[in-house]
Amino acid sequence: MTGENTFSPSDQAFSANSNLHITIQEGSQNSEQLLENENNDLENDCEQLFEIEGNEPESERDDASDQLFDIQSNDHENDGGDINEHLFEIEGNDHESSRDDRTIIDYQNGGSQEKAYPPPVVGLEFDSYDDAYNYYNCYAKELGFAIRVKSSWTKRNSKEKRGAVLCCNCEGFKTIKEANSRKKETRTGCLAMIRLRLVESNRWRVDEVKLEHNHLFDPERAQNSKSHKRMDSGAKRKMEPTVDVEVRTIKLYRTPVVDAVGYGSSNSNEGEINNLVDRSKRLKLKNGDARAIYKYFCRVQLTDPNFFYVIDLNDEGYLRNVFWIDSRSRAAYNYFGDVVSFETTCLSNNYEIPLVAFVGVNHHGQTILLGCGLLADETLETYIWLFRAWLTCMSGRPPQTIITNRCKAMQSALAEVFPRAHHRLSSSHVMQSILENMGAIQEYEAFQMILSRTVYDSIKVDEFELAWEHMIQRFGIRDHEFIQTLYDDRERWVPVYSKDTVFAVMPNFQKAESTNPFFDGYVHQQTSLEEFLDVYDVVLEKKRQEEAHNDFESRELTPMLRTRCYYELQLSKFYTKDVFLKFQDEVVMMTSCFSITQVHTNGPLVTYMIKEREGEEIMRDNNRNFEVMYDKAGAEVRCMCSCFNLNGYLCRHALCILNYNGVEEIPFQYILSRWRKDFKRLYVPDLGSNNVDITNPVQWFDHLYRRAMQVVQEGMISQDHYMVSWQAFKESLNKVRLVADKHV
């Protein structure tokens, strides 16, 4: 998901006391409360202790958005201040785990006094078509419009519904016959709609959303519409979308001071520590590491007010886990949070620093950082803590797909924290582990070739199963325990089982491709934590400069065309350079496709069989057949190779079918905004809704702050931008002061 469509806020109350509770509704753009960092003494930042203060509301309103809280730096008498002097404790109701975490995140059931039905977003899933219809109907009723079914389609030779388009009832225009009737014209050509599709898991998924209406809402007329009249009072309980929109409670409080190395109270001696604390349950840090982390966090917070971090301490006050993320990464998740890779290279290879990283892919196919952590161990409890901390930071919006290495504890944690996300294993890592375990096998090179062909070239499940059976029989590895374990888990790493899963060109899931860790070349096995923190900002800045350079090239340079196909010219105007070159290869390969045959027709849905020639020689045995379905009514096309899901752009087979049917331009639903060079991306805090309560000063602050951050981000592009932004700020301040003077 790109973050263009988000959920509306749900607010809860919190009190201003020493155990301040702030409830955050996940999925809400306004769920991130603004923290105001008032550091008065930069030189003594390591001696400061954060104190959480809540401002009492002027009216007794049960609304968290009506509260504002500050994080203020206060001088501490102890000059040995440490990172562990403050932390977030996230607490809830379920404590199934045996450990009593200082930092626990848990779900609670909480009601919303705002909108009960958030706007639809791509990736929402429902248990049935009726649930999806009822949800959109309730959302429409709450907003003030009515809906109808624009189109739907069924399974071949069956009445089983496979997809549908639900639209605003103002969609389209009257026919000539209808125009002559006396009925009042209500259709305005409105484009608001959602497209639903039945996926392999027998769930209904939203794969296209348009929220904009071209007309005013009329709640009274909508109330009397057919769709709303059919709604029974008991249906509402079934209409909630199955997306992670829960309420978390975050408790912030002061903890006892611990020593600078993070091993316990400064009053304790080493012998007592060894007797009281299991070192395996705490972060392995060297002398000065904890102080280095704290100094870094304090320094970043001065320049990045939306920087976020969470500290996890055990019962004895020892540092166990750390998670942090900068504002740019938090904003980037709104655009590129559909597919996330979780890197654990440093943990797996016993590096000096136990570093983990959440990594995404931007519009150039370049990896971007979406969060970092330091972990004490690889247990289920630790992974649950980390994933919940990360999810809370991302306003409760889980990714559509998360890719990891094989780890049972991690898999269980993902199932608990991201129950509706698609968990896939890194295909390249699995293949590498197979080859390492089978290094002593006879005919190793032949095994390597057949394995690659079996995994990556199979386009049907049956084809893979037959090829796998032939492989294990030929090489006599049927009873090999490791091979059997991977086969049992094949749905998580073999591409043919993931055709309905979006991967957005995540390199470590593609054929013969693997990606280096995000910090590759900067972090080695012997790299210390202090050395890592010294180069951390350097790495991020280098990545940002690389993205800016790619933006410039994509925007200013015209790519060389290799064919006369209009599809190539069309997308050269939209795609970024790197993505266009990959799509261009598909256009060039259209010449290898031939012999298009229509094999089945079901209304507007037509199924074609297209042959593709493999290799340069024209031989019958080198041809492969690909089944492509085309819906003439909606100009929808889907190939069995699932290139669009795996890569985010259409394959040569689909392009041939569009061309065969006289479609002059690629339909815009197949030009994803995540790959477009003309899509404006601002790496600033999510703006959220423009609906501001004009009686609520806290919402004034929230709205103005976020708008100002937009100007700041734009003003940093160049010196000219800076001068214009600075002048605009000065003029705005003068105008505001004139308004204030009038009321004195």
Side-chain angles (χ1 to χ4, degrees):
M1 67 188 89
T2 62
E4 296 169 351
N5 304 316
T6 53
F7 304 125
S8 58
S10 176
D11 306 316
Q12 302 290 334
F14 65 89
S15 59
N17 55 45
S18 59
N19 290 325
L20 180 62
H21 288 263
I22 306 106
T23 59
I24 297 179
Q25 170 133 0
E26 296 182 8
S28 167
Q29 293 196 13
N30 287 336
S31 64
E32 299 173 7
Q33 302 295 327
L34 299 176
L35 306 181
E36 179 179 313
N37 191 349
E38 300 178 356
N39 287 286
N40 297 321
D41 189 356
L42 176 60
E43 296 180 358
N44 296 325
D45 56 2
C46 288
E47 299 176 10
Q48 296 172 344
L49 185 65
F50 287 121
E51 177 180 347
I52 314 304
E53 298 182 353
N55 295 333
E56 293 290 346
E58 296 179 3
S59 61
E60 295 183 0
R61 179 181 302 179
D62 188 16
D63 187 344
S65 67
D66 289 345
Q67 315 290 331
L68 183 64
F69 60 95
D70 301 328
I71 294 186
Q72 299 181 338
S73 295
N74 301 309
D75 291 328
H76 199 277
E77 295 179 359
N78 189 341
D79 58 2
D82 186 72
I83 184 173
N84 295 323
E85 293 175 352
H86 66 284
L87 76 157
F88 291 86
E89 177 184 355
I90 307 175
E91 65 176 11
N93 295 329
D94 101 1
H95 296 282
E96 296 180 9
S97 118
S98 60
R99 71 177 197 169
D100 182 16
D101 287 343
R102 290 291 183 106
T103 310
I104 304 174
I105 304 177
D106 194 22
Y107 303 103
Q108 297 183 3
N109 295 321
S112 169
Q113 295 184 359
E114 296 290 334
K115 299 295 184 183
Y117 299 93
V121 293
V122 173
L124 283 183
E125 291 188 0
F126 302 85
D127 291 330
S128 67
Y129 168 76
D130 288 339
D131 286 349
Y133 178 91
N134 289 335
Y135 154 72
Y136 192 53
N137 198 22
C138 276
Y139 162 73
K141 182 177 181 181
E142 194 171 66
L143 210 59
F145 69 96
I147 68 169
R148 58 185 171 84
V149 181
K150 179 181 179 181
S151 62
S152 63
W153 50 97
T154 58
K155 188 176 181 181
R156 182 193 311 172
N157 300 326
S158 171
K159 294 183 179 180
E160 181 185 356
K161 195 185 295 291
R162 305 291 296 179
V165 175
L166 308 181
C167 66
C168 172
N169 68 348
C170 292
E171 185 273 343
F173 298 95
K174 281 185 177 181
T175 62
I176 297 177
K177 181 178 179 180
E178 292 172 334
N180 295 328
S181 67
R182 296 183 178 180
K183 290 184 178 180
K184 180 182 178 182
E185 174 62 273
T186 58
R187 298 196 179 189
T188 63
C190 181
L191 298 178
M193 52 77 74
I194 63 170
R195 186 185 305 274
L196 300 165
R197 180 166 59 90
L198 183 65
V199 296
E200 287 186 354
S201 56
N202 288 325
R203 296 172 66 83
W204 284 81
R205 181 183 302 161
V206 176
D207 61 6
E208 184 181 357
V209 173
K210 293 181 181 178
L211 295 179
E212 296 78 13
H213 296 260
N214 64 356
H215 56 89
L216 297 176
F217 294 143
D218 187 348
E220 184 176 348
R221 186 176 66 83
Q223 187 76 21
N224 297 321
S225 67
K226 293 181 180 180
S227 65
H228 295 334
K229 283 183 177 180
R230 287 204 303 264
M231 187 187 307
D232 61 68
S233 60
K236 288 189 176 183
R237 289 189 297 271
K238 299 170 58 179
M239 297 167 193
E240 297 289 350
T242 55
V243 68
D244 294 297
V245 184
E246 290 119 344
V247 176
R248 304 182 188 278
T249 299
I250 299 182
K251 180 181 179 182
L252 298 91
Y253 74 106
R254 226 177 249 182
T255 60
V257 178
V258 291
D259 68 339
V261 295
Y263 285 157
S265 172
S266 56
N267 297 323
S268 301
N269 58 52
E270 188 65 24
E272 293 173 344
I273 293 172
N274 290 331
N275 293 330
L276 297 175
V277 181
D278 182 359
R279 287 183 177 275
S280 65
K281 296 298 183 181
R282 49 180 146 127
L283 197 59
K284 298 176 178 64
L285 298 178
K286 292 184 177 180
N287 187 28
D289 281 352
R291 181 184 292 275
I293 298 174
Y294 183 48
K295 283 184 176 181
Y296 176 77
F297 286 173
C298 289
R299 176 170 59 83
V300 173
Q301 283 188 317
L302 293 177
T303 57
D304 187 355
N306 211 36
F307 178 83
F308 180 92
Y309 69 92
V310 183
I311 304 298
D312 178 26
L313 301 184
N314 61 20
D315 292 337
E316 290 76 20
Y318 299 107
L319 182 60
R320 181 162 48 194
N321 303 304
V322 185
F323 168 74
W324 73 93
I325 183 172
D326 63 278
S327 62
R328 182 183 175 90
S329 296
R330 298 181 74 183
Y333 183 78
N334 291 317
Y335 303 114
F336 309 117
D338 44 4
V339 183
V340 175
S341 176
F342 181 58
E343 294 183 357
T344 57
T345 303
C346 295
L347 283 180
S348 305
N349 298 328
N350 296 318
Y351 276 44
E352 185 75 18
I353 54 174
L355 177 69
V356 295
F358 296 90
V359 177
V361 172
N362 69 3
H363 49 303
H364 300 290
Q366 167 195 354
T367 54
I368 56 174
L369 190 63
L370 299 175
C372 279
L374 300 172
L375 303 184
D377 52 42
E378 299 181 73
T379 61
L380 172 64
E381 294 83 6
T382 292
Y383 282 128
I384 288 178
W385 176 89
L386 177 68
F387 294 150
R388 285 179 172 170
W390 182 75
L391 185 62
T392 300
C393 168
M394 298 306 185
S395 300
R397 290 180 303 228
Q400 295 181 34
T401 304
I402 186 164
I403 302 174
T404 72
N405 293 339
R406 292 184 71 241
C407 174
K408 285 295 183 182
M410 188 190 306
Q411 181 175 328
S412 300
L414 288 169
E416 178 170 337
V417 183
F418 307 116
R420 299 176 188 96
H422 300 285
H423 177 210
R424 296 296 182 263
L425 303 178
S426 168
S427 184
S428 61
H429 283 94
V430 173
M431 294 289 281
Q432 182 180 354
S433 64
I434 292 177
L435 296 176
E436 290 174 353
N437 275 268
M438 307 304 295
I441 197 173
Q442 294 181 353
E443 300 182 89
Y444 178 79
E445 292 184 358
F447 172 76
Q448 184 177 8
M449 181 184 65
I450 291 175
L451 174 65
S452 178
R453 192 164 54 205
T454 299
V455 172
Y456 293 119
D457 291 350
S458 299
I459 57 177
K460 291 184 177 180
V461 171
D462 292 344
E463 186 178 337
F464 167 78
E465 297 287 352
L466 290 173
W468 184 272
E469 177 66 25
H470 172 74
M471 180 187 71
I472 62 175
Q473 183 175 346
R474 172 178 171 177
F475 295 98
I477 54 176
R478 182 183 301 277
D479 297 328
H480 195 288
E481 184 177 354
F482 182 72
I483 294 294
Q484 183 59 44
T485 301
L486 289 178
Y487 175 75
D488 293 341
D489 211 17
R490 61 194 180 280
E491 293 185 4
R492 293 189 184 275
W493 63 275
V494 179
V496 73
Y497 289 96
S498 301
K499 290 189 173 183
D500 285 321
T501 304
V502 176
F503 286 101
V505 199
M506 183 63 75
N508 54 7
F509 201 84
Q510 303 303 306
K511 178 178 180 179
E513 294 185 17
S514 61
T515 181
N516 293 325
F518 185 84
F519 293 101
D520 185 58
Y522 296 92
V523 177
H524 309 281
Q525 282 193 319
Q526 304 305 319
T527 302
S528 68
L529 183 57
E530 288 193 78
E531 291 172 336
F532 168 69
L533 293 175
D534 287 340
V535 302
Y536 178 80
D537 288 334
V538 175
V539 178
L540 294 190
E541 184 58 30
K542 181 179 178 181
K543 293 283 187 179
R544 291 164 186 169
Q545 290 179 1
E546 182 181 346
E547 180 175 318
H549 175 73
N550 292 336
D551 284 341
F552 176 81
E553 279 195 334
S554 297
R555 186 173 60 250
E556 302 298 331
L557 302 181
T558 303
M560 295 289 294
L561 301 182
R562 298 165 61 186
T563 71
R564 294 185 178 181
C565 179
Y566 182 74
Y567 299 152
E568 183 185 13
L569 175 63
Q570 178 192 5
L571 293 198
S572 69
K573 301 175 182 178
F574 294 105
Y575 280 163
T576 60
K577 175 186 174 182
D578 298 270
V579 177
F580 174 73
L581 291 177
K582 295 180 179 180
F583 171 75
Q584 191 177 47
D585 290 338
E586 295 294 327
V587 178
V588 172
M589 289 295 292
M590 287 174 65
T591 57
S592 65
C593 301
F594 64 99
S595 182
I596 299 175
T597 306
Q598 183 174 320
V599 296
H600 186 267
T601 303
N602 182 16
L605 186 63
V606 182
T607 303
Y608 297 92
M609 189 67 70
I610 184 170
K611 293 182 179 294
E612 181 181 8
R613 185 181 302 111
E614 292 187 329
E616 297 181 358
E617 297 182 6
I618 303 177
M619 298 176 59
R620 171 174 254 172
D621 294 340
N622 282 357
N623 298 336
R624 298 195 71 183
N625 296 326
F626 290 86
E627 189 178 87
V628 184
M629 291 180 289
Y630 177 65
D631 182 2
K632 295 182 178 180
E636 296 183 3
V637 62
R638 180 176 181 181
C639 178
M640 64 187 301
C641 76
S642 290
C643 176
F644 184 73
N645 276 345
L646 293 175
N647 299 313
Y649 50 80
L650 290 178
C651 63
R652 48 192 176 271
H653 319 112
L655 295 176
C656 284
I657 297 304
L658 290 177
N659 184 62
Y660 180 81
N661 282 273
V663 180
E664 296 181 354
E665 293 186 342
I666 294 177
F668 270 88
Q669 66 259 35
Y670 297 110
I671 307 176
L672 299 182
S673 60
R674 73 159 3 264
W675 301 136
R676 292 181 64 154
K677 61 184 176 183
D678 60 338
F679 188 81
K680 189 66 174 177
R681 300 173 181 88
L682 288 176
Y683 295 121
V684 296
D686 197 0
L687 285 175
S689 173
N690 287 325
N691 297 325
V692 179
D693 182 357
I694 61 173
T695 66
N696 185 353
V698 174
Q699 290 194 23
W700 302 346
F701 174 85
D702 183 71
H703 190 251
L704 291 175
Y705 170 83
R706 294 170 187 268
R707 288 295 179 187
M709 286 301 296
Q710 271 193 304
V711 181
V712 171
Q713 185 72 24
E714 292 279 0
M716 294 171 63
I717 295 176
S718 68
Q719 184 176 356
D720 290 338
H721 282 75
Y722 164 75
M723 295 303 297
V724 172
S725 301
W726 171 232
Q727 187 63 34
F729 274 133
K730 289 196 296 184
E731 293 176 358
S732 298
L733 183 59
N734 289 333
K735 291 180 180 179
V736 171
R737 285 173 174 170
L738 287 175
V739 174
D741 291 342
K742 292 179 181 179
H743 292 84
V744 173

